[in-house]
Every structure is written in C-alpha cells, then in structure tokens.
Amino acid sequence: MSRSVVVVGASLGGLRAAEQLRAHGFDGEITVVGEERYAPYNRPPLSKEALATDHGGDAAALERALGFRAKRGMSDVSWLLGTRVESASLSTRTVVLADGRTLAFDGLVAATGLRPRRLPHAEPGRGRHVLRTIDDAVALRADLRPGARVVVVGAGFIGCEVASTARSLGADVTVVEPLPAPMVRGVGEAVGRALLQHHVDAGATFITGLGVAGLEPSHADPGRVGGVVLDDGTVLPADVVVESVGSHPNVEWLAGNGLDLTDGLLCDNHLRVEGQPDLVAVGDIARFPNPNFGVVARRVEHWSIPSETARRAAQTLAARLCDSPVDDSVFAPVPTFWSDQFGLRLQSFGAPGLAERVEVVDGSLSNLDCGLAASYHLGTRLIGVLLVNVPAARHQQYRSLVLPQPHLV
C-alpha cells in the first residue's frame, strides 16, 4: 500500500525536505502545505538587494526574482499554498487545515519556520514593519523614501541589514539596541563594537543600552506611528519603525501531542521529534544536539540549516517508511551565514555565539573595510570563524578550521 507524507511548511526547508524524500527513495504521495501564497523563495535577499530594489509594489515580480527552481522528480508533489495547518494529531496521523479539510499521513515533516516577534504595543498600527516575507518587504519598501525618519528596533543581523539598506535609499536611520553593541550575541562584544563604529561612520545613528518603552502617534495622522519612546523618556521622531526584536518558532499547531514546544521541537541527532518515529523537524524550529558544539540540543537560525537538516530528516523518515537502514553517522553540520551591512560582507562558519573568547587572526578591528578574520574559542576548541571583507577564495581555508572533529563524530 502506498504511503503518504505531509510536509508542513513551504519555505526552503519544506522544499528541500520534499526533494530529499524523493532522493532517498520515497515514492509515495507528498503534500506540502504552506501558509504563504508564494512558492518557496530565498529569504536572505529580503533585507538586502530585494529591499533596495523598487518593484513598484509588485509582489509577483519579487516572487519571480527570489523563487527557487523546481528540481527534477518534483512534478508529482502536491502543493497547498495559502493554506494554514490548524492542528495535528500524532495518534490519528492527521493534520487539520484552517478551512476544515483533513489530511492523513504516514510520515510528517515539521518545517514551519519562524515568525517575527513584535513590540508589545498595540497602537499606533500603521508605519510599523517586520521583515520575514515577500509581503513584508513590499510594504516596507513602499515606506523607505529619501528623508524618511526610520527607527530600527534591534541591532541583530536583520536589523543592521535593514538599517544599511534604508540608509542607502536616503532615509535618516536610527538603530535602538538594549545591548552594548550590534550583533553581540552572534559575534561578541569586541567585534560588535567595531561594527558599531563602522556603521556610525557610514551615516547611521545607534543608541545602545536602552530599550523601547512605547510608541507615539503622528500628530498629523493618529493612526500612524510618529515617535519611539525610549526607556529614559527620550522620544525619537519616526515615520517608519522596523521591529527586529527576535522571532517565535511556529510550533503551536503541534500542541496537544505531549511534545516540548518551549523552544521549537526537541529532536534527536536524526531529527526525530522526541522519539516520534513518524515525525521529523527541519530548519530553524529543529532543536537538535550537534556534537561538534557540545551535547546541548539547540535551534540554529542560519541560512545553511534548512537544507542540511532536510537532508538528514528526509533520510530518517524515508528509512522508516521504506523499511531501509537509517544513516547511523553523526549529524554535525557547520552552520553558515552571510550578511551585507554598510559596505561590509560578513561570513561566518561554526557557532561564534557560543564562544568564551575571540582572537583576531588577520586584519584589524579598527579598519574592517580592509578585512578581518576572527576565531572563536570554547575552552581549548575553535568553534567558529567570522570573516569581514575577506575574499571568497579564502573562505574554505577558514571553514576547514571548524569542520567536525574526528574524535567527536
């Protein structure tokens, strides 16, 4: 009897999971369900070149520019786009869609990704933006006019990228960050302070060590934001507010199944969710142990993770459904991300955010334009490398430093 798999989530992780199920020999029915109305597309450019380009409000043009090409062997995969999964029952092996339809499954792939956190202020509503989807990018781009007063709340990677893009479009940009420097959690304070100075030199204003206490309405239009109130009472005039204050894993649809949903989905090293052999997780909702960086199960929100977890999870699920051997090798991916900010190209390998100390290997923190290589250490181990304006031809030599250690895998 033919078996079926439902993939919940139609972004990169869901797409790669479907592709890898076919690649690993699963020939049953595959249905991919996605809440967005768009086919899978590349998200990192949303805060960079896609946001910088004026598409005239044409979301379809942006979808065409960012969409992934379908691979061979995917023609018989069913796609239900613009459809939200309301709930799932692991005991009955069914998912319920928002329109009331029910899909049965033999195997289930959770690939629902993240949604942006919002500031805890309901009003005013207009002029406030997050950036996660094509629709978000189209709406934000329409507000990024020359001279617009833009306040970006949060100086993580997305916040800094948006600030850089907005500044390039002629906006007056202020970034508010409660921590002492941008991207401290990802790159450490020393590198963060170097980036702060570079970004200020490039024309952005940074306010660190303060959070947002409230929002004020515009005098001309009370339904639109007009100011950002900081913890110390300072009011920053704002025509546009970008909320870049973190994210929530989209796992609520799995409530009621006895799973730990406190931080994504807890998985084993094969990406099976809490001992559920018919449920695997993919992408940045998967909380799994990576022996290359210790025994603690963690979620990873880097660009490389959806594809790598999809490959592992699909092999695990295909083996279960096809009665074939499971890959017993240890899954120890090296997370990778890149970021473009104020003329700098940042490239990271490994887990710099877990480091106890940072060493400058090449270049200088005082002149990032000319290049920087920094290594990140936990105890005696090198666990991450950050490159700034280092030519791509040299990336592999640094990446090889944080490849899985043979004695750990």
Side-chain angles (χ1 to χ4, degrees):
M1 181 175 66
S2 178
R3 295 191 169 191
S4 63
V5 169
V6 173
V7 180
V8 183
S11 191
L12 175 60
L15 171 65
R16 296 292 184 248
E19 292 172 347
Q20 288 297 315
L21 282 167
R22 287 287 185 251
H24 286 289
F26 178 75
D27 59 3
E29 180 182 354
I30 299 176
T31 302
V32 184
V33 186
E35 188 168 354
E36 282 192 74
R37 57 195 172 102
Y38 306 108
Y41 60 89
N42 197 20
R43 293 186 191 275
L46 290 177
S47 55
K48 308 178 185 76
E49 59 266 29
L51 186 63
T53 303
D54 185 3
H55 293 279
D58 186 354
L62 196 51
E63 180 187 19
R64 289 192 296 272
L66 299 180
F68 293 111
R69 292 184 179 180
K71 292 186 177 181
R72 294 174 59 182
M74 293 286 287
S75 60
D76 60 348
V77 172
S78 299
W79 295 83
L80 298 179
L81 300 177
T83 304
R84 188 178 75 255
V85 169
E86 198 71 37
S87 62
S89 170
L90 301 183
S91 60
T92 64
R93 295 186 183 183
T94 56
V95 296
V96 179
L97 308 183
D99 60 12
R101 284 180 292 170
T102 299
L103 301 178
F105 63 81
D106 297 292
L108 182 63
V109 179
T112 36
L114 310 173
R115 66 183 183 279
R117 293 181 185 272
R118 303 300 303 255
L119 292 172
H121 313 289
E123 299 294 338
R126 287 185 286 112
R128 297 169 58 180
H129 298 271
V130 293
L131 187 57
R132 175 71 182 177
T133 69
I134 283 176
D135 290 337
D136 293 337
V138 169
L140 176 56
R141 182 63 178 82
D143 273 354
L144 293 182
R145 300 178 299 275
R149 298 169 300 180
V150 177
V151 175
V152 179
V153 183
F157 292 98
I158 298 300
C160 287
E161 289 171 358
V162 171
S164 175
T165 302
R167 190 76 188 97
S168 73
L169 294 171
D172 181 7
V173 177
T174 300
V175 182
V176 178
E177 171 55 57
L179 295 176
M183 297 166 286
V184 166
R185 292 188 180 94
V187 302
E189 187 168 338
V191 176
R193 289 189 182 280
L195 290 167
L196 170 62
Q197 187 59 56
H198 176 90
H199 295 355
V200 169
D201 291 344
T205 298
F206 274 71
I207 297 175
T208 59
L210 291 173
V212 172
L215 301 173
E216 289 190 347
S218 165
H219 295 298
D221 182 355
R224 186 178 179 89
V225 68
V228 176
V229 184
L230 303 183
D231 289 338
D232 65 354
T234 301
V235 179
L236 303 176
D239 304 304
V240 180
V241 174
V242 181
E243 301 172 35
S244 182
V245 291
S247 56
H248 294 283
N250 291 318
V251 295
E252 292 85 355
W253 59 280
L254 281 164
N257 290 287
L259 303 175
D260 176 3
L261 305 181
T262 55
D263 184 23
L265 295 171
L266 179 60
C267 303
D268 63 17
N269 191 251
H270 289 83
L271 281 307
R272 290 178 292 233
V273 177
E274 291 192 70
Q276 297 284 341
D278 303 316
L279 170 62
V280 293
V282 166
D284 38 25
I285 63 169
R287 178 161 45 107
F288 64 95
N290 184 333
N292 209 37
F293 307 108
V295 297
V296 177
R298 297 183 176 90
R299 292 191 307 106
V300 182
E301 298 183 10
H302 291 343
W303 174 85
S304 60
I305 291 299
S307 294
E308 295 191 83
T309 54
R311 187 179 305 112
R312 177 66 160 198
Q315 197 283 328
T316 298
L317 189 57
R320 166 76 174 177
L321 298 177
C322 301
D323 296 319
S324 57
V326 174
D327 182 358
D328 284 330
S329 64
V330 173
F331 181 56
V334 176
T336 301
F337 74 80
W338 58 273
S339 181
D340 291 330
Q341 305 173 18
F342 296 98
L344 300 179
R345 164 60 65 93
L346 281 65
Q347 179 76 53
S348 169
F349 303 107
L354 301 179
E356 296 171 333
R357 72 180 194 281
V358 183
E359 297 178 3
V360 174
V361 177
D362 194 10
S364 169
L365 290 173
S366 62
N367 189 1
L368 298 180
D369 283 313
C370 292
L372 173 81
S375 59
Y376 291 74
H377 304 261
L378 180 63
T380 60
R381 295 198 55 222
L382 187 152
I383 61 168
V385 172
L386 178 72
L387 309 176
V388 182
N389 278 17
V390 172
R394 296 173 57 196
H395 287 185
Q396 183 55 38
Q397 74 181 75
Y398 288 107
R399 184 182 187 277
S400 66
L401 300 177
V402 289
L403 288 175
Q405 304 298 308
H407 68 281
L408 294 175
V409 301

